[in-house]
Amino acid sequence: TQLLEQSPQFLSIQEGENLTVYCNSSSVFSSLQWYRQEPGEGPVLLVTVVTGGEVKKLKRLTFQFGDARKDSSLHITAAQPGDTGLYLCAACYQAGTALIFGKGTTLSVSS
Amino acid sequence: GAVVSQHPSRVICKSGTSVKIECRSLDFQATTMFWYRQFPKQSLMLMATSNEGSKATYEQGVEKDKFLINHASLTLSTLTVTSAHPEDSSFYICSAREAATGSNEKLFFGSGTQLSVL
């Protein structure tokens, strides 16, 4: 059974601070995705990374995929209250199979 | 973009009743749909993989007789929680993979169903 370790589980910061969320596995990913979820709604895809060493940017969010395709990180610069939510990493270990989710990071940004 | 419609969004039922949740791919064909369960402030846990025209594959610890999955067409999968009990109260989410790509890069999620069993 593949396990996806995500940390930290909870993060409470002030507006303007930077933060990083980590996602690690002992197995190689086929692809990895980052989602954001609001209460009572389905997860919304932020980014998909498939190439080792890949870096993608989405406004203030920077996503990195480790060279060995076993880890990934999400960095948010100058966090804003609107960034508050549950962030989930999800990996596919074999093409065509289900996404396995990490435990999630609940982010709270206060003004 | 592709849309997955999930209904109902919220359901409250009495203990012992059965509840059906529908997941429809609106503008694409989905040979495979996945059902997840999510408890408050926790992540999504895969329950089962549903393939059109065949029996669903359940994850370890998920009772197939409790959570009946039917994927009768390329655009519809249903999850029926049979004889629901309070411990079945949870947020259920479906996702569908677009048949044309066969890739998880084209995986779309429904908006979820909040089930509350009294």
PDB file of all heavy atoms in Angstrom, chain B residues 54-83:
ATOM      1  N   SER B  54     -18.639  -3.405 -15.548  1.00  0.00           N
ATOM      2  CA  SER B  54     -18.065  -4.489 -14.754  1.00  0.00           C
ATOM      3  C   SER B  54     -18.207  -4.178 -13.268  1.00  0.00           C
ATOM      4  O   SER B  54     -18.612  -3.088 -12.888  1.00  0.00           O
ATOM      5  CB  SER B  54     -16.592  -4.701 -15.112  1.00  0.00           C
ATOM      6  OG  SER B  54     -15.834  -3.551 -14.805  1.00  0.00           O
ATOM      7  N   LYS B  55     -17.863  -5.153 -12.459  1.00  0.00           N
ATOM      8  CA  LYS B  55     -17.997  -4.973 -11.017  1.00  0.00           C
ATOM      9  C   LYS B  55     -16.956  -3.998 -10.502  1.00  0.00           C
ATOM     10  O   LYS B  55     -15.821  -3.950 -10.995  1.00  0.00           O
ATOM     11  CB  LYS B  55     -17.836  -6.319 -10.303  1.00  0.00           C
ATOM     12  CG  LYS B  55     -18.994  -7.282 -10.522  1.00  0.00           C
ATOM     13  CD  LYS B  55     -18.791  -8.557  -9.715  1.00  0.00           C
ATOM     14  CE  LYS B  55     -19.959  -9.504  -9.908  1.00  0.00           C
ATOM     15  NZ  LYS B  55     -19.785 -10.764  -9.113  1.00  0.00           N
ATOM     16  N   ALA B  56     -17.348  -3.268  -9.490  1.00  0.00           N
ATOM     17  CA  ALA B  56     -16.424  -2.309  -8.890  1.00  0.00           C
ATOM     18  C   ALA B  56     -15.341  -3.028  -8.096  1.00  0.00           C
ATOM     19  O   ALA B  56     -15.542  -4.138  -7.597  1.00  0.00           O
ATOM     20  CB  ALA B  56     -17.183  -1.348  -7.987  1.00  0.00           C
ATOM     21  N   THR B  57     -14.211  -2.392  -7.989  1.00  0.00           N
ATOM     22  CA  THR B  57     -13.110  -2.894  -7.164  1.00  0.00           C
ATOM     23  C   THR B  57     -13.057  -2.084  -5.895  1.00  0.00           C
ATOM     24  O   THR B  57     -12.871  -0.866  -5.948  1.00  0.00           O
ATOM     25  CB  THR B  57     -11.771  -2.770  -7.916  1.00  0.00           C
ATOM     26  OG1 THR B  57     -11.849  -3.470  -9.158  1.00  0.00           O
ATOM     27  CG2 THR B  57     -10.642  -3.335  -7.072  1.00  0.00           C
ATOM     28  N   TYR B  58     -13.195  -2.751  -4.764  1.00  0.00           N
ATOM     29  CA  TYR B  58     -13.260  -2.059  -3.488  1.00  0.00           C
ATOM     30  C   TYR B  58     -11.907  -2.070  -2.784  1.00  0.00           C
ATOM     31  O   TYR B  58     -11.154  -3.045  -2.871  1.00  0.00           O
ATOM     32  CB  TYR B  58     -14.308  -2.715  -2.587  1.00  0.00           C
ATOM     33  CG  TYR B  58     -15.729  -2.499  -3.061  1.00  0.00           C
ATOM     34  CD1 TYR B  58     -16.282  -3.288  -4.072  1.00  0.00           C
ATOM     35  CD2 TYR B  58     -16.522  -1.488  -2.520  1.00  0.00           C
ATOM     36  CE1 TYR B  58     -17.580  -3.079  -4.527  1.00  0.00           C
ATOM     37  CE2 TYR B  58     -17.819  -1.277  -2.952  1.00  0.00           C
ATOM     38  CZ  TYR B  58     -18.341  -2.073  -3.964  1.00  0.00           C
ATOM     39  OH  TYR B  58     -19.620  -1.861  -4.412  1.00  0.00           O
ATOM     40  N   GLU B  59     -11.635  -1.006  -2.068  1.00  0.00           N
ATOM     41  CA  GLU B  59     -10.419  -0.943  -1.274  1.00  0.00           C
ATOM     42  C   GLU B  59     -10.588  -1.789  -0.008  1.00  0.00           C
ATOM     43  O   GLU B  59     -11.715  -2.071   0.433  1.00  0.00           O
ATOM     44  CB  GLU B  59     -10.103   0.497  -0.890  1.00  0.00           C
ATOM     45  CG  GLU B  59      -9.766   1.380  -2.078  1.00  0.00           C
ATOM     46  CD  GLU B  59      -8.543   0.888  -2.831  1.00  0.00           C
ATOM     47  OE1 GLU B  59      -7.455   0.808  -2.213  1.00  0.00           O
ATOM     48  OE2 GLU B  59      -8.670   0.598  -4.036  1.00  0.00           O
ATOM     49  N   GLN B  60      -9.477  -2.161   0.542  1.00  0.00           N
ATOM     50  CA  GLN B  60      -9.497  -2.985   1.747  1.00  0.00           C
ATOM     51  C   GLN B  60     -10.250  -2.273   2.865  1.00  0.00           C
ATOM     52  O   GLN B  60     -10.032  -1.087   3.108  1.00  0.00           O
ATOM     53  CB  GLN B  60      -8.059  -3.277   2.194  1.00  0.00           C
ATOM     54  CG  GLN B  60      -7.947  -4.332   3.266  1.00  0.00           C
ATOM     55  CD  GLN B  60      -6.496  -4.694   3.551  1.00  0.00           C
ATOM     56  OE1 GLN B  60      -5.570  -4.043   3.081  1.00  0.00           O
ATOM     57  NE2 GLN B  60      -6.303  -5.753   4.314  1.00  0.00           N
ATOM     58  N   GLY B  61     -11.145  -3.019   3.508  1.00  0.00           N
ATOM     59  CA  GLY B  61     -11.897  -2.461   4.616  1.00  0.00           C
ATOM     60  C   GLY B  61     -13.220  -1.828   4.220  1.00  0.00           C
ATOM     61  O   GLY B  61     -13.999  -1.428   5.096  1.00  0.00           O
ATOM     62  N   VAL B  62     -13.492  -1.717   2.928  1.00  0.00           N
ATOM     63  CA  VAL B  62     -14.762  -1.149   2.460  1.00  0.00           C
ATOM     64  C   VAL B  62     -15.720  -2.296   2.137  1.00  0.00           C
ATOM     65  O   VAL B  62     -15.394  -3.160   1.316  1.00  0.00           O
ATOM     66  CB  VAL B  62     -14.547  -0.265   1.215  1.00  0.00           C
ATOM     67  CG1 VAL B  62     -15.887   0.280   0.723  1.00  0.00           C
ATOM     68  CG2 VAL B  62     -13.589   0.867   1.531  1.00  0.00           C
ATOM     69  N   GLU B  63     -16.868  -2.299   2.778  1.00  0.00           N
ATOM     70  CA  GLU B  63     -17.829  -3.386   2.597  1.00  0.00           C
ATOM     71  C   GLU B  63     -18.593  -3.212   1.289  1.00  0.00           C
ATOM     72  O   GLU B  63     -19.363  -2.262   1.124  1.00  0.00           O
ATOM     73  CB  GLU B  63     -18.824  -3.391   3.750  1.00  0.00           C
ATOM     74  CG  GLU B  63     -18.210  -3.604   5.127  1.00  0.00           C
ATOM     75  CD  GLU B  63     -19.269  -3.511   6.214  1.00  0.00           C
ATOM     76  OE1 GLU B  63     -20.239  -4.291   6.161  1.00  0.00           O
ATOM     77  OE2 GLU B  63     -19.145  -2.648   7.093  1.00  0.00           O
ATOM     78  N   LYS B  64     -18.427  -4.124   0.383  1.00  0.00           N
ATOM     79  CA  LYS B  64     -19.085  -4.005  -0.918  1.00  0.00           C
ATOM     80  C   LYS B  64     -20.595  -4.180  -0.826  1.00  0.00           C
ATOM     81  O   LYS B  64     -21.331  -3.663  -1.665  1.00  0.00           O
ATOM     82  CB  LYS B  64     -18.500  -5.004  -1.913  1.00  0.00           C
ATOM     83  CG  LYS B  64     -18.644  -6.456  -1.511  1.00  0.00           C
ATOM     84  CD  LYS B  64     -18.020  -7.357  -2.576  1.00  0.00           C
ATOM     85  CE  LYS B  64     -18.148  -8.827  -2.223  1.00  0.00           C
ATOM     86  NZ  LYS B  64     -17.513  -9.708  -3.240  1.00  0.00           N
ATOM     87  N   ASP B  65     -21.057  -4.922   0.181  1.00  0.00           N
ATOM     88  CA  ASP B  65     -22.502  -5.087   0.339  1.00  0.00           C
ATOM     89  C   ASP B  65     -23.136  -3.881   1.020  1.00  0.00           C
ATOM     90  O   ASP B  65     -24.351  -3.689   0.961  1.00  0.00           O
ATOM     91  CB  ASP B  65     -22.805  -6.341   1.166  1.00  0.00           C
ATOM     92  CG  ASP B  65     -22.385  -7.606   0.448  1.00  0.00           C
ATOM     93  OD1 ASP B  65     -22.433  -7.602  -0.811  1.00  0.00           O
ATOM     94  OD2 ASP B  65     -21.996  -8.575   1.112  1.00  0.00           O
ATOM     95  N   LYS B  66     -22.310  -3.089   1.637  1.00  0.00           N
ATOM     96  CA  LYS B  66     -22.771  -1.883   2.315  1.00  0.00           C
ATOM     97  C   LYS B  66     -22.805  -0.700   1.342  1.00  0.00           C
ATOM     98  O   LYS B  66     -23.719   0.104   1.343  1.00  0.00           O
ATOM     99  CB  LYS B  66     -21.819  -1.562   3.460  1.00  0.00           C
ATOM    100  CG  LYS B  66     -22.046  -0.255   4.170  1.00  0.00           C
ATOM    101  CD  LYS B  66     -23.214  -0.363   5.090  1.00  0.00           C
ATOM    102  CE  LYS B  66     -23.335   0.859   5.956  1.00  0.00           C
ATOM    103  NZ  LYS B  66     -24.558   0.796   6.781  1.00  0.00           N
ATOM    104  N   PHE B  67     -21.801  -0.642   0.519  1.00  0.00           N
ATOM    105  CA  PHE B  67     -21.663   0.451  -0.441  1.00  0.00           C
ATOM    106  C   PHE B  67     -21.742  -0.134  -1.851  1.00  0.00           C
ATOM    107  O   PHE B  67     -20.746  -0.562  -2.422  1.00  0.00           O
ATOM    108  CB  PHE B  67     -20.337   1.183  -0.235  1.00  0.00           C
ATOM    109  CG  PHE B  67     -20.184   1.800   1.127  1.00  0.00           C
ATOM    110  CD1 PHE B  67     -19.462   1.153   2.115  1.00  0.00           C
ATOM    111  CD2 PHE B  67     -20.785   3.014   1.425  1.00  0.00           C
ATOM    112  CE1 PHE B  67     -19.326   1.715   3.378  1.00  0.00           C
ATOM    113  CE2 PHE B  67     -20.649   3.587   2.685  1.00  0.00           C
ATOM    114  CZ  PHE B  67     -19.917   2.937   3.663  1.00  0.00           C
ATOM    115  N   LEU B  68     -22.954  -0.141  -2.380  1.00  0.00           N
ATOM    116  CA  LEU B  68     -23.194  -0.732  -3.689  1.00  0.00           C
ATOM    117  C   LEU B  68     -22.877   0.277  -4.790  1.00  0.00           C
ATOM    118  O   LEU B  68     -23.392   1.377  -4.802  1.00  0.00           O
ATOM    119  CB  LEU B  68     -24.651  -1.180  -3.804  1.00  0.00           C
ATOM    120  CG  LEU B  68     -25.119  -2.235  -2.791  1.00  0.00           C
ATOM    121  CD1 LEU B  68     -26.582  -2.561  -3.012  1.00  0.00           C
ATOM    122  CD2 LEU B  68     -24.272  -3.494  -2.899  1.00  0.00           C
ATOM    123  N   ILE B  69     -22.042  -0.142  -5.720  1.00  0.00           N
ATOM    124  CA  ILE B  69     -21.655   0.745  -6.808  1.00  0.00           C
ATOM    125  C   ILE B  69     -22.101   0.141  -8.126  1.00  0.00           C
ATOM    126  O   ILE B  69     -21.860  -1.033  -8.400  1.00  0.00           O
ATOM    127  CB  ILE B  69     -20.136   0.990  -6.814  1.00  0.00           C
ATOM    128  CG1 ILE B  69     -19.746   1.807  -5.582  1.00  0.00           C
ATOM    129  CG2 ILE B  69     -19.704   1.700  -8.094  1.00  0.00           C
ATOM    130  CD1 ILE B  69     -18.258   1.961  -5.391  1.00  0.00           C
ATOM    131  N   ASN B  70     -22.752   0.986  -8.930  1.00  0.00           N
ATOM    132  CA  ASN B  70     -23.204   0.577 -10.245  1.00  0.00           C
ATOM    133  C   ASN B  70     -22.704   1.568 -11.276  1.00  0.00           C
ATOM    134  O   ASN B  70     -22.857   2.776 -11.118  1.00  0.00           O
ATOM    135  CB  ASN B  70     -24.735   0.499 -10.272  1.00  0.00           C
ATOM    136  CG  ASN B  70     -25.255  -0.010 -11.604  1.00  0.00           C
ATOM    137  OD1 ASN B  70     -25.342   0.734 -12.575  1.00  0.00           O
ATOM    138  ND2 ASN B  70     -25.587  -1.275 -11.653  1.00  0.00           N
ATOM    139  N   HIS B  71     -22.100   1.067 -12.330  1.00  0.00           N
ATOM    140  CA  HIS B  71     -21.572   1.933 -13.387  1.00  0.00           C
ATOM    141  C   HIS B  71     -22.101   1.400 -14.708  1.00  0.00           C
ATOM    142  O   HIS B  71     -21.382   0.785 -15.481  1.00  0.00           O
ATOM    143  CB  HIS B  71     -20.036   1.889 -13.335  1.00  0.00           C
ATOM    144  CG  HIS B  71     -19.373   2.963 -14.155  1.00  0.00           C
ATOM    145  ND1 HIS B  71     -18.055   3.325 -13.946  1.00  0.00           N
ATOM    146  CD2 HIS B  71     -19.806   3.731 -15.165  1.00  0.00           C
ATOM    147  CE1 HIS B  71     -17.724   4.269 -14.796  1.00  0.00           C
ATOM    148  NE2 HIS B  71     -18.771   4.531 -15.548  1.00  0.00           N
ATOM    149  N   ALA B  72     -23.386   1.672 -14.908  1.00  0.00           N
ATOM    150  CA  ALA B  72     -24.099   1.046 -16.026  1.00  0.00           C
ATOM    151  C   ALA B  72     -23.852   1.708 -17.368  1.00  0.00           C
ATOM    152  O   ALA B  72     -24.094   1.112 -18.417  1.00  0.00           O
ATOM    153  CB  ALA B  72     -25.594   1.026 -15.729  1.00  0.00           C
ATOM    154  N   SER B  73     -23.383   2.946 -17.361  1.00  0.00           N
ATOM    155  CA  SER B  73     -23.137   3.631 -18.628  1.00  0.00           C
ATOM    156  C   SER B  73     -21.841   4.422 -18.529  1.00  0.00           C
ATOM    157  O   SER B  73     -21.257   4.544 -17.459  1.00  0.00           O
ATOM    158  CB  SER B  73     -24.298   4.569 -18.963  1.00  0.00           C
ATOM    159  OG  SER B  73     -24.230   5.754 -18.175  1.00  0.00           O
ATOM    160  N   LEU B  74     -21.412   4.954 -19.656  1.00  0.00           N
ATOM    161  CA  LEU B  74     -20.159   5.706 -19.698  1.00  0.00           C
ATOM    162  C   LEU B  74     -20.279   7.086 -19.069  1.00  0.00           C
ATOM    163  O   LEU B  74     -19.287   7.811 -18.994  1.00  0.00           O
ATOM    164  CB  LEU B  74     -19.677   5.830 -21.144  1.00  0.00           C
ATOM    165  CG  LEU B  74     -19.082   4.565 -21.736  1.00  0.00           C
ATOM    166  CD1 LEU B  74     -18.821   4.741 -23.228  1.00  0.00           C
ATOM    167  CD2 LEU B  74     -17.789   4.182 -21.032  1.00  0.00           C
ATOM    168  N   THR B  75     -21.473   7.457 -18.649  1.00  0.00           N
ATOM    169  CA  THR B  75     -21.641   8.783 -18.064  1.00  0.00           C
ATOM    170  C   THR B  75     -22.265   8.764 -16.675  1.00  0.00           C
ATOM    171  O   THR B  75     -22.498   9.818 -16.088  1.00  0.00           O
ATOM    172  CB  THR B  75     -22.527   9.668 -18.966  1.00  0.00           C
ATOM    173  OG1 THR B  75     -23.804   9.040 -19.113  1.00  0.00           O
ATOM    174  CG2 THR B  75     -21.887   9.877 -20.332  1.00  0.00           C
ATOM    175  N   LEU B  76     -22.530   7.586 -16.145  1.00  0.00           N
ATOM    176  CA  LEU B  76     -23.208   7.538 -14.857  1.00  0.00           C
ATOM    177  C   LEU B  76     -22.698   6.412 -13.977  1.00  0.00           C
ATOM    178  O   LEU B  76     -22.623   5.258 -14.389  1.00  0.00           O
ATOM    179  CB  LEU B  76     -24.717   7.358 -15.057  1.00  0.00           C
ATOM    180  CG  LEU B  76     -25.563   7.154 -13.788  1.00  0.00           C
ATOM    181  CD1 LEU B  76     -25.497   8.389 -12.891  1.00  0.00           C
ATOM    182  CD2 LEU B  76     -27.011   6.807 -14.153  1.00  0.00           C
ATOM    183  N   SER B  77     -22.350   6.783 -12.749  1.00  0.00           N
ATOM    184  CA  SER B  77     -22.035   5.804 -11.719  1.00  0.00           C
ATOM    185  C   SER B  77     -22.840   6.169 -10.485  1.00  0.00           C
ATOM    186  O   SER B  77     -23.024   7.354 -10.196  1.00  0.00           O
ATOM    187  CB  SER B  77     -20.539   5.806 -11.388  1.00  0.00           C
ATOM    188  OG  SER B  77     -20.251   4.902 -10.325  1.00  0.00           O
ATOM    189  N   THR B  78     -23.339   5.171  -9.786  1.00  0.00           N
ATOM    190  CA  THR B  78     -24.095   5.443  -8.567  1.00  0.00           C
ATOM    191  C   THR B  78     -23.495   4.696  -7.387  1.00  0.00           C
ATOM    192  O   THR B  78     -22.964   3.586  -7.533  1.00  0.00           O
ATOM    193  CB  THR B  78     -25.577   5.034  -8.708  1.00  0.00           C
ATOM    194  OG1 THR B  78     -25.652   3.623  -8.965  1.00  0.00           O
ATOM    195  CG2 THR B  78     -26.252   5.792  -9.826  1.00  0.00           C
ATOM    196  N   LEU B  79     -23.578   5.327  -6.248  1.00  0.00           N
ATOM    197  CA  LEU B  79     -23.148   4.729  -4.984  1.00  0.00           C
ATOM    198  C   LEU B  79     -24.378   4.673  -4.090  1.00  0.00           C
ATOM    199  O   LEU B  79     -24.997   5.713  -3.825  1.00  0.00           O
ATOM    200  CB  LEU B  79     -22.052   5.565  -4.337  1.00  0.00           C
ATOM    201  CG  LEU B  79     -21.724   5.253  -2.869  1.00  0.00           C
ATOM    202  CD1 LEU B  79     -21.115   3.859  -2.738  1.00  0.00           C
ATOM    203  CD2 LEU B  79     -20.774   6.290  -2.287  1.00  0.00           C
ATOM    204  N   THR B  80     -24.733   3.492  -3.648  1.00  0.00           N
ATOM    205  CA  THR B  80     -25.865   3.339  -2.743  1.00  0.00           C
ATOM    206  C   THR B  80     -25.355   2.895  -1.378  1.00  0.00           C
ATOM    207  O   THR B  80     -24.708   1.842  -1.279  1.00  0.00           O
ATOM    208  CB  THR B  80     -26.885   2.317  -3.278  1.00  0.00           C
ATOM    209  OG1 THR B  80     -27.357   2.741  -4.564  1.00  0.00           O
ATOM    210  CG2 THR B  80     -28.067   2.190  -2.324  1.00  0.00           C
ATOM    211  N   VAL B  81     -25.630   3.708  -0.384  1.00  0.00           N
ATOM    212  CA  VAL B  81     -25.291   3.351   0.992  1.00  0.00           C
ATOM    213  C   VAL B  81     -26.495   2.612   1.547  1.00  0.00           C
ATOM    214  O   VAL B  81     -27.566   3.212   1.746  1.00  0.00           O
ATOM    215  CB  VAL B  81     -24.975   4.594   1.837  1.00  0.00           C
ATOM    216  CG1 VAL B  81     -24.561   4.185   3.244  1.00  0.00           C
ATOM    217  CG2 VAL B  81     -23.890   5.430   1.168  1.00  0.00           C
ATOM    218  N   THR B  82     -26.344   1.328   1.756  1.00  0.00           N
ATOM    219  CA  THR B  82     -27.479   0.517   2.192  1.00  0.00           C
ATOM    220  C   THR B  82     -27.568   0.472   3.713  1.00  0.00           C
ATOM    221  O   THR B  82     -26.541   0.469   4.405  1.00  0.00           O
ATOM    222  CB  THR B  82     -27.365  -0.916   1.652  1.00  0.00           C
ATOM    223  OG1 THR B  82     -26.185  -1.518   2.189  1.00  0.00           O
ATOM    224  CG2 THR B  82     -27.300  -0.921   0.138  1.00  0.00           C
ATOM    225  N   SER B  83     -28.803   0.463   4.208  1.00  0.00           N
ATOM    226  CA  SER B  83     -29.053   0.398   5.650  1.00  0.00           C
ATOM    227  C   SER B  83     -28.094   1.334   6.396  1.00  0.00           C
ATOM    228  O   SER B  83     -27.273   0.904   7.215  1.00  0.00           O
ATOM    229  CB  SER B  83     -28.890  -1.044   6.147  1.00  0.00           C
ATOM    230  OG  SER B  83     -29.268  -1.142   7.514  1.00  0.00           O
TER     231      SER B  83
END
